[in-house]
Amino acid sequence: MLSVYSLVVLISSVSVCVLRVRADPVLLDQSFGCHSRLKQLHGQQVTVLMPPNITGHWVSNSCEVRPGPEFLTRSYRFNPDHTFAALQFYYEDRDCSVPSYSLLIRGSVRPLQASWLVRGGTVCEYHLSRVQLLCHGPAAATLLRTLLPPDCDPRRPPQPGLAYELWDERWAAGRDCTRGLRFSMQELRLMRMERRHHHGDAERRAEEELFLGDVHTERAQRRLHQPSGYQTPLRSAKRCGICKIVSSADLHHPPVLPVQPERPVRLHGNWVSTRCEVRPGVLFLTRHLTFDEDSRTWAGRYEHFSDPVCRHPTFSISASGNYSRGNTSTAVSGAVEFTFTVTHMAVTPMDVATTSLLNVFRGRDCGVEGSWKLGVQQDVTFTSGCAALGVRLPHTEYELFSAGQDPSGRGLLYNGQRPTDGSSPDRPDRRATSFQPPLIRCGGGQKGERRIGDQLFRLSAGCGSNAPDAIVTLILLLTLM
Ligand SMILES: *[C@@H]1O[C@H](CO)[C@@H](O)[C@H](O)[C@H]1NC(C)=O
Ligand SMILES: *[C@@H]1O[C@H](CO)[C@@H](O)[C@H](O)[C@H]1NC(C)=O
Ligand SMILES: *[C@@H]1O[C@H](CO)[C@@H](O)[C@H](O)[C@H]1NC(C)=O
């Protein structure tokens, strides 16, 4: 729930905490389940292809949510001569079952160089040649008419089922009907292509994924935004269910995804990242969160890395606190609002550079001055976080959670995307309307599933280093969500 945008900010937002959990066999099982998932993640063989050869057809594998919120699916074709045709299908609903309007964007794109800012990313340049709009019903046509600038064909407004020219490079300079839509293809400025090999599954072909640049959480900033993170990756495989529906669609026949049964948002239990995540700014991390619905406490461990496959640790943050459940979201159906307080935080520098950096901040109320040691966790709760750097505990954040399921039926948990400008969602009006990559359930302890879990899963959110023998100190969880 804290955001860490740069090491410096990071330090400021670091609160550390140690979760102490009773050393019960069942609990250990749980933590091992999560531990092995994280290990699996680190052991995953991921090849990053640089420069990426993006020639081919890349499609969404889910209904994507962009800040706003906007619900969409994407189907992008990149040709060997560097031209592309990108279809974006927008919907009225969270399941992408009711198409609203679609865009067909043509242009060219080519990789320039490896990104200096985002390791593992490739910076590209692109050029747009034409943008067309198609409304799928009268409601969308009416709405889009109000969004178009006045110089855009007032006598021939968008009609359902008729392609409408929003932009053409041959038009006179200055005329641009995409303005009102806050349309942008800045996502093409940053790319990353991954090939993922599955262990012990030689039969399965390696999966390829194409990550395009992130979309700014503020609509007004989108057009100039230089991405430093990524959106949900596109897939080249056509075998998965959703990809198949999306890849066979065209401008006039948008993909209609199946309506999903409503999934209740239950936080109780343990959750870990499904991949090495990248945050704008640029940080690579894995998260492990745990929630106890009875005591309304949470804890998280955020492991940060210097590399895009999460092999070289730089520091970790443990945090904990309490939370409360709020209303169901009116912005994103099925999602629920929460309020989180971070009351404890601890930091562990994991490389020499971070250790020195922490020691540089002398006398600034951030742990014990000059005492940071490589690999040694330090509680910063007693200094109320890092005052000099602007991070004060307790810290409150307004969150949005949504539930999902992976193809094998395992629970997924989504929480709010961090604001792109590095700010914290510390007011209700800053609450996210889109999500970070999902966490997957690990261990046992799902409420209702095993009552015994409630008894054993007792977090004590105190921070301190003298853990009695009977207490296992889980350097767990706290994430900055
Ligand atoms: C890029 O990929 C395409 C399709 O997979 C292939 O036909 C083409 O030869 C590749 N280009 C290069 C330069 O490797
Ligand atoms: C956390 O607990 C404190 C103290 O009981 C309370 O004031 C605060 O409102 C709680 N925070 C949330 C998000 O429920
Ligand atoms: C839930 O919604 C009601 C009515 O809009 C509002 O008054 C209340 O503050 C909301 N509760 C929370 C926890 O946001």
Side-chain angles (χ1 to χ4, degrees), residues 45-65:
Q45 276 195 32
V46 178
T47 314
V48 179
L49 306 168
M50 289 184 81
N53 175 3
I54 59 171
T55 300
H57 189 187
W58 299 88
V59 297
S60 302
N61 187 28
S62 62
C63 181
E64 298 174 8
V65 186

Side-chain angles (χ1 to χ4, degrees), residues 15-196:
S15 69
V16 173
C17 220
V18 177
L19 275 196
R20 286 195 224 143
V21 186
R22 273 171 217 280
D24 257 291
V26 173
L27 183 63
L28 285 175
D29 279 355
Q30 291 178 13
S31 62
F32 286 151
C34 300
H35 190 63
S36 68
R37 278 216 163 244
L38 276 175
K39 277 204 101 148
Q40 214 177 330
L41 188 153
H42 295 301
Q44 236 174 22
Q45 276 195 32
V46 178
T47 314
V48 179
L49 306 168
M50 289 184 81
N53 175 3
I54 59 171
T55 300
H57 189 187
W58 299 88
V59 297
S60 302
N61 187 28
S62 62
C63 181
E64 298 174 8
V65 186
R66 281 187 176 177
E70 289 175 335
F71 309 110
L72 80 161
T73 56
R74 296 176 289 160
S75 170
Y76 292 6
R77 275 178 208 276
F78 297 101
N79 304 315
D81 65 357
H82 300 292
T83 59
F84 70 85
L87 280 161
Q88 294 181 349
F89 304 102
Y90 291 85
Y91 300 82
E92 286 173 14
D93 64 314
R94 170 69 173 99
D95 291 324
C96 290
S97 69
V98 184
S100 165
Y101 66 94
S102 303
L103 299 177
L104 172 57
I105 303 125
R106 294 181 190 279
S108 60
V109 60
R110 56 184 84 223
L112 279 184
Q113 69 204 27
S115 169
W116 289 89
L117 182 63
V118 190
R119 277 184 68 181
T122 298
V123 176
C124 301
E125 63 177 1
Y126 71 95
H127 169 82
L128 298 184
S129 51
R130 193 179 178 197
V131 183
Q132 287 173 287
L133 160 79
L134 189 92
C135 296
H136 300 297
T142 307
L143 172 72
L144 286 160
R145 255 174 244 168
T146 66
L147 295 178
L148 293 178
D151 58 341
C152 291
D153 273 350
R155 281 154 299 144
R156 203 189 60 83
Q159 304 283 344
L162 283 181
Y164 182 89
E165 302 295 322
L166 281 177
W167 192 75
D168 193 309
E169 61 180 331
R170 293 166 302 185
W171 287 0
R175 181 153 172 236
D176 179 0
C177 301
T178 66
R179 258 179 291 146
L181 299 177
R182 301 261 162 79
F183 159 82
S184 168
M185 282 302 278
Q186 284 291 93
E187 62 187 287
L188 295 177
R189 291 279 295 156
L190 183 69
M191 292 185 185
R192 169 181 166 86
M193 197 174 146
E194 278 187 7
R195 187 173 290 152
R196 203 167 283 275

Side-chain angles (χ1 to χ4, degrees), residues 296 321-324 339-341 343 396-397:
R296 299 209 189 94
N322 54 321
Y323 68 93
S324 56
T339 307
F340 277 79
T341 306
T343 52
T396 295
E397 293 201 352

Side-chain angles (χ1 to χ4, degrees), residues 244-422:
K244 208 182 289 168
I245 302 175
V246 177
S247 63
S248 58
D250 62 37
L251 186 62
H252 290 269
H253 305 94
V256 175
L257 304 191
V259 175
Q260 301 295 325
E262 184 118 334
R263 293 211 170 78
V265 177
R266 304 303 303 271
L267 304 193
H268 197 84
N270 285 274
W271 305 86
V272 288
S273 297
T274 57
R275 61 167 76 240
C276 179
E277 299 172 3
V278 54
R279 289 239 173 118
V282 163
L283 293 162
F284 302 100
L285 80 162
T286 59
R287 300 177 288 155
H288 179 175
L289 293 174
T290 189
F291 303 91
D292 181 53
E293 285 187 345
D294 292 330
S295 60
R296 299 209 189 94
T297 52
W298 69 283
R301 184 166 173 91
Y302 303 71
E303 305 273 4
H304 293 80
F305 301 84
S306 60
D307 65 304
V309 289
C310 288
R311 299 237 166 90
H312 304 291
T314 50
F315 60 90
S316 65
I317 293 177
S318 297
S320 65
N322 54 321
Y323 68 93
S324 56
R325 190 178 176 109
N327 294 326
T328 52
S329 169
T330 49
V332 184
S333 74
V336 178
E337 299 179 347
F338 282 83
T339 307
F340 277 79
T341 306
V342 187
T343 52
H344 295 88
M345 194 184 276
V347 180
T348 313
M350 301 294 285
D351 69 356
V352 173
T354 310
T355 312
S356 336
L357 193 68
L358 286 168
N359 280 324
V360 164
F361 292 103
R362 294 179 169 267
R364 306 265 183 103
D365 289 346
C366 182
V368 178
E369 181 181 336
S371 70
W372 293 93
K373 290 198 182 65
L374 181 69
V376 179
Q377 171 167 288
Q378 193 172 150
D379 193 331
V380 297
T381 305
F382 73 100
T383 54
S384 300
C386 282
L389 296 170
V391 173
R392 281 237 150 244
L393 296 178
H395 172 80
T396 295
E397 293 201 352
Y398 295 86
E399 265 287 358
L400 185 71
F401 279 80
S402 170
Q405 213 173 48
D406 82 348
S408 66
R410 206 150 175 104
L412 296 176
L413 184 67
Y414 296 82
N415 73 297
Q417 185 175 346
R418 310 293 314 181
T420 308
D421 65 5

